Amino acid sequence: MSVDTVSLTGWGRTAPTTAVRFRPRGYEEAAAVVRGRGPRGVIARGLGRSPGDAAQNAGGSVLDLSGLARIGGVDAAAGVVRCDAGVSLERLLRVLLPLGWLPPVLPGTGRVTVGGAIGSDLPGLDHRRAGSFARHVSALELLTADGEVRTVLPGTALFDATAGGLGLTGVVLGATLRLRRVSTGLMAVSTERAGDLDDLLARFTAGGDRLPYASAWVDLTARGRATGRGILTRGEHATPDMRPAHAGRTRLFPRSGAAPGRSPFPGLPPLPGGLLGPAAAALCNEVRYRSSPRARTGELRPVPAFFHASDSLPDVRPLHGRGGLVRYRFTVGYGQEETLHRVVRRIAARRSPAVRAVLQRFGAADPGLLSFAAPGWSLELDLPAALPGLGRFLDGVDEEVAAAGGRVCLAQDSRMRPETAAAMYPRLAEFRELRARLDPAGAFRSDLSRRLGL
């Protein structure tokens, strides 16, 4: 096992803190770290894709599980796979897709570990049908505060606290996942432009769930009658009769990375480094909106290109400046669309340089005590952390979301106040009580857990 002292941040590169990082090669080495933890405790970490501070532990220990990445046998008859927590969803997809299977839930990036997907209870593009990731876990192996490894099953209090529990109930070492059967490696995709937010919401609901996967890019720089305009993308798994004659030569997986200098924003030339200002962001969004088709159906894309398109683009974080980026994701229930309208108008009026904003619909709430997804609308956006007054602005948005009965995503948070989290998550007291009973010495801690009093 390797050990070093490092400065760590989340993917957003805000608020770095220093911790001792352990990289175990097996379960016993991981258990030894938990048993020998110091007074500041330990937290698990995967690929570091959480934008906030959920996988940091200032002055304590961080258990890097990226080396625990074994994929067990795939039971094709039962449609299940057993894998270690450090396996990335990208790698799992590469292994499973040629066998005719998919991971149960695919978020917007494949560069997330299975353990991270469980600890965050990640929702995918078809949450209305499939729910979040942990709903498809039939068993998990959890390293608890006493240094023992337990098999935890759905329907138990410990499972519900671990799903979306941000690593604070223990270290997920492995899981058994129920898979999704597919007949091809292609998606049939439809794309349409919406002129404003009302138009976008109407298009989302008009098709029902005939096409199960849906998300929209929203132009948060547009104002006036165009406020909230966007591009809706929906998809379904292509059947064999949809495959073109040349499908056998179609590349299932796009090459990782991108050519040097390629712009992360389609239709624009390479952008200079440094903080992306309002004018440049507005130009990016204008070009993206105008270059998208008004309506297109039946486009065939490889599965990875549909779900993880951003993974093949250059790193956009340098465009947000040296201070890093704040990813802000919230959800409000159906019937609270006016709150969504007000938040979008506030962001547009502030001329915030937001080039990434994703709108989704959620279905039934998941069983995790701190799971984020709940029936309603979810908006996720990235903003430069160095924007003047950003903290105060988002505090105000927090209050509006909380007043509407909504919540901010804890797994992506880097700045919320503890009283706000308590107001948004009604089962937080239940989560704290279970943690106090199972881990009275506070073995599992993180910068996020201290900041929010979890």
Side-chain angles (χ1 to χ4, degrees), residues 241-287:
D241 59 290
M242 296 178 182
R243 290 166 60 97
H246 66 278
R249 299 190 298 273
T250 300
R251 179 181 291 275
L252 278 181
F253 290 87
R255 292 182 177 90
S256 60
R262 181 183 171 190
S263 171
F265 308 110
L268 280 183
L271 295 168
L275 183 64
L276 187 67
L283 176 60
C284 290
N285 289 356
E286 180 70 21
V287 171

Side-chain angles (χ1 to χ4, degrees), residues 33-409:
V33 173
V34 171
R35 295 189 194 106
R37 65 188 179 272
R40 298 283 287 180
V42 61
I43 195 68
R45 183 180 178 93
L47 297 176
R49 295 292 293 198
S50 173
D53 52 4
Q56 298 170 222
N57 186 20
S61 301
V62 169
L63 198 55
D64 184 335
L65 299 181
S66 57
L68 299 183
R70 296 166 297 181
I71 298 177
V74 179
D75 187 334
V80 298
V81 63
R82 161 67 182 80
C83 62
D84 285 346
V87 174
S88 72
L89 298 188
E90 180 180 46
R91 179 166 167 242
L92 199 59
L93 180 60
R94 287 179 179 272
V95 170
L96 294 175
L97 188 55
L99 303 177
W101 296 99
L102 284 185
V105 168
L106 289 170
T109 176
R111 295 168 186 169
V112 179
T113 62
V114 168
I118 294 170
S120 302
D121 201 13
L122 288 177
L125 298 182
D126 63 339
H127 186 271
R128 285 172 58 82
R129 287 192 182 184
S132 295
F133 194 90
R135 193 180 293 186
H136 304 273
V137 176
S138 55
L140 59 85
E141 293 164 274
L142 188 71
L143 173 60
T144 51
D146 55 8
E148 300 299 318
V149 179
R150 305 187 191 187
T151 298
V152 183
L153 301 178
T156 63
L158 184 53
F159 187 96
D160 289 348
T162 301
L166 305 166
L168 298 174
T169 62
V171 179
V172 176
L173 294 175
T176 301
L177 309 177
R178 294 186 296 274
L179 305 175
R180 175 173 300 176
R181 188 64 146 150
V182 292
S183 56
T184 74
L186 297 171
M187 301 292 296
V189 182
S190 72
T191 307
E192 51 191 302
R193 281 185 355 203
D196 59 25
L197 186 57
D198 279 328
D199 186 19
L200 185 58
L201 299 183
R203 290 173 185 270
F204 249 114
T205 56
D209 291 324
R210 184 181 64 83
L211 299 179
Y213 303 99
S215 69
W217 168 78
V218 183
D219 182 359
L220 293 180
T221 64
R223 293 183 289 175
R225 289 184 297 177
T227 300
R229 69 181 180 179
I231 303 165
L232 174 62
T233 302
R234 291 185 282 195
E236 63 181 334
H237 293 286
T239 56
D241 59 290
M242 296 178 182
R243 290 166 60 97
H246 66 278
R249 299 190 298 273
T250 300
R251 179 181 291 275
L252 278 181
F253 290 87
R255 292 182 177 90
S256 60
R262 181 183 171 190
S263 171
F265 308 110
L268 280 183
L271 295 168
L275 183 64
L276 187 67
L283 176 60
C284 290
N285 289 356
E286 180 70 21
V287 171
R288 179 171 184 175
Y289 182 78
R290 295 296 176 189
S291 62
S292 297
R294 291 184 178 275
R296 180 172 61 196
T297 60
E299 179 193 6
L300 294 179
R301 299 183 196 172
V303 165
F306 176 77
F307 288 102
H308 301 151
S310 63
D311 287 349
S312 63
L313 294 174
D315 188 351
V316 300
R317 289 174 294 177
L319 297 177
H320 292 84
R322 292 183 179 180
L325 66 87
V326 170
R327 177 160 294 171
Y328 188 76
R329 187 176 197 183
F330 69 92
T331 183
V332 292
Y334 297 118
Q336 295 293 332
E337 285 79 7
E338 182 51 38
T339 299
L340 180 63
H341 274 274
R342 284 197 300 269
V343 172
V344 169
R345 288 196 298 265
R346 287 179 66 175
I347 296 170
R350 196 174 185 270
R351 294 182 56 81
S352 298
V355 292
R356 181 188 178 277
V358 180
L359 183 69
Q360 288 181 244
R361 293 175 77 200
F362 285 159
D366 296 289
L369 302 184
L370 299 184
S371 291
F372 165 65
W377 300 96
S378 165
L379 181 64
E380 176 183 88
L381 59 140
D382 292 346
L383 293 169
L387 281 179
L390 180 62
R392 291 191 303 276
F393 174 75
L394 292 180
D395 285 345
V397 179
D398 285 348
E399 293 174 3
E400 189 150 9
V401 170
R407 59 185 60 166
V408 169
C409 182

